[in-house]
Amino acid sequence: MAQLAAVVGVGQTKYKTKRKDVSIAGLVREAAIAALEDADLTWDDIDAVILGKAPDMFEGIIMPELYLTDALGCNGKPMLRVHTAGSVGGSTAIVAASYVQSGVFKRILTVSFEKQSESNAMWALSNPQPFSPHLNAGAGGYFAPIIREYMRRSDAPYDAGIKVAVKDRLHGARNPLAHLQLPNITMKEVEDSPMLWEPLRFLEACPSSDGACAMIIANEDLATKSPRKPAWIRGTAMRSEPTMYAGREQVNPQAGIDCAKDVYAQAGIHNPRKDLDCAEVYVPFSWYEPMWLENLGFADVGKGWELTMNNATSLIEGGDIPWNCSGGVLSSNPIGASGMIRFAEAAQQVRGEAHGHQVEGAKTALGHAYGGGAQFFSMWVVSADKP
């Protein structure tokens, strides 16, 4: 039987367009030290390090984990690298949790990062691959046709995406670590921003950010002795499916549906809208909020946009299921870390440590990440109360 595990420390850098003041090693160390300080621990208290990183070709540094051992205090300790495209931050946290739940390690430091200022993600994603069509459009160009199909099926109003873009940036303005600080953003400003990939405008897309996120995950015995309130891990799940196959459902991917069902079953979630207090969900392009509301079971198929338009996901408007209170991927996007930020922010909510973007009384929260061509999914449910 799996042992209990909990998040006992969280550390994040400030997310910015360019962190010229630090190297990649300095960036990950900054987040790791913040997590250690949050947990009142030292490097000697860590048994192993689990590192997450998006494709190596982004920064052009192959197997960066090999030279980051010094920065992360793990010379002579086990280190493992995880990579599942954009969902890697979430899957890295799940791998770290699994090592604690299995009893292999008692306390793990897990870190993920991206330094987009030293990379070119759009073109790194557009290099020719054997037996695959060449794509010169980056992530936005890949997902835009899928979004258009969602709009056609659901008959969603054209401004649902605009509404998400405004909501998440207003949330981000409450989070001092968020990259974009746009406290006065308006629907008109988003609508008037340049069209990049129909129907996605410039302000409906995520920024390019430098940053790192770290968490410390401990077993039950150590977590109960932690000086700060732990976030207990109630369920974890990962699923994947091929990018392309005959009849693949891309608007509402089956891997996402299955992943959500699995993590809900583990955590005892029967109705996610009612049983969860908030969610941090990977929304790099605004229209993916209504799409994931349906994929994750918060709304019926074709009705996700209604929750968005009715302010159900808005912290500021008092919605019943606030999404991305930290500002989400639309406010900060260091790709390799973006999924872990979702998981860490969910943990911070149930720990009562989200400060200016705290959901009052939050007890149970969902962290979610997806990557690739909406083919890799990772999710966890955390709670304030021990199972």
Side-chain angles (χ1 to χ4, degrees):
M1 182 177 178
Q3 299 182 24
L4 294 181
V7 177
V8 298
V10 172
Q12 300 181 60
T13 65
K14 166 67 179 173
Y15 304 109
K16 297 177 65 175
T17 302
K18 294 182 179 181
R19 282 294 305 272
K20 294 182 178 180
D21 58 316
V22 292
S23 63
I24 289 174
L27 195 67
V28 297
R29 186 174 178 86
E30 184 179 315
I33 288 174
L36 287 169
E37 291 177 347
D38 186 44
D40 195 23
L41 299 171
T42 69
W43 298 107
D44 290 339
D45 297 312
I46 301 301
D47 298 329
V49 175
I50 309 295
L51 182 75
K53 172 69 178 71
D56 288 353
M57 54 191 166
F58 279 10
E59 288 97 346
I61 300 173
I62 305 305
M63 299 177 71
E65 64 275 13
L66 297 181
Y67 88 95
L68 293 175
T69 54
D70 281 343
L72 294 173
C74 63
N75 280 331
K77 294 182 180 181
M79 173 184 262
L80 178 70
R81 156 82 181 278
V82 179
H83 169 39
T84 57
S87 71
V88 65
S91 55
T92 302
I94 290 175
V95 170
S98 73
Y99 272 100
V100 175
Q101 291 166 330
S102 66
V104 174
F105 299 114
K106 295 180 179 179
R107 192 188 279 127
I108 282 182
L109 169 66
T110 183
V111 189
S112 59
F113 73 95
E114 200 76 59
K115 210 161 192 286
Q116 287 215 63
S117 65
E118 298 179 8
S119 73
N120 192 329
M122 178 170 178
W123 298 112
L125 293 171
S126 301
N127 61 333
Q129 300 287 341
F131 312 111
S132 296
H134 186 49
L135 177 69
N136 277 319
Y142 180 90
F143 291 117
I146 301 171
I147 293 170
R148 291 197 296 271
E149 174 62 11
Y150 171 76
M151 295 173 73
R152 184 194 69 80
R153 293 183 190 181
S154 65
D155 199 26
Y158 82 97
D159 58 348
I162 297 172
K163 181 125 180 159
V164 175
V166 171
K167 183 262 295 180
D168 279 8
R169 271 51 176 273
L170 292 177
H171 285 174
R174 294 183 166 207
N175 176 10
L177 297 179
H179 178 173
L180 298 184
Q181 295 290 327
L182 301 172
N184 300 312
I185 193 170
T186 64
M187 296 275 286
K188 186 177 188 305
E189 182 181 358
V190 177
E191 185 169 1
D192 290 346
S193 65
M195 185 69 73
L196 298 182
W197 312 275
E198 177 71 36
L200 293 169
R201 298 164 178 81
F202 178 73
L203 286 174
E204 291 179 279
C206 54
S208 294
S209 310
D210 287 356
C213 179
M215 289 187 289
I216 294 170
I217 299 175
N219 66 15
E220 180 181 7
D221 180 54
L222 294 175
T224 55
K225 298 174 182 176
S226 177
R228 284 195 169 91
K229 187 175 182 179
W232 295 98
I233 300 168
R234 300 290 295 269
T236 64
M238 287 191 281
R239 291 292 189 279
S240 63
E241 62 183 48
T243 310
M244 300 176 188
Y245 60 87
R248 183 189 178 210
E249 172 53 64
Q250 297 193 72
V251 174
N252 193 15
Q254 188 62 44
I257 295 171
D258 293 345
C259 192
K261 287 182 178 178
D262 186 359
V263 78
Y264 293 160
Q266 294 175 47
I269 302 298
H270 304 289
N271 182 332
R273 185 173 179 182
K274 291 183 178 179
D275 296 342
L276 295 167
D277 296 306
C278 56
E280 283 282 336
V281 178
Y282 203 112
V283 177
F285 304 104
S286 59
W287 277 94
Y288 268 86
E289 174 174 295
M291 292 165 69
W292 290 154
L293 280 165
E294 298 170 23
N295 188 252
L296 300 177
F298 288 80
D300 293 336
V301 172
K303 301 296 183 182
W305 62 267
E306 294 183 2
L307 272 67
T308 293
M309 299 304 288
N310 292 332
N311 296 318
T313 58
S314 172
L315 173 65
I316 295 169
E317 297 296 334
D320 64 281
I321 183 61
W323 272 34
N324 295 327
C325 300
S326 66
V329 182
L330 284 171
S331 294
S332 307
N333 185 38
I335 298 173
S338 293
M340 186 172 287
I341 298 167
R342 310 280 68 75
F343 281 42
E345 286 287 349
Q348 292 294 72
Q349 286 288 348
V350 302
R351 297 175 79 206
E353 297 283 352
H355 305 297
H357 55 283
Q358 178 71 46
V359 175
E360 186 175 355
K363 296 292 186 183
T364 309
L366 170 71
H368 164 281
Y370 87 96
Q375 67 193 104
F376 303 115
F377 293 86
S378 56
M379 304 175 201
W380 80 4
V381 172
V382 289
S383 71
D385 299 326
K386 186 165 71 171

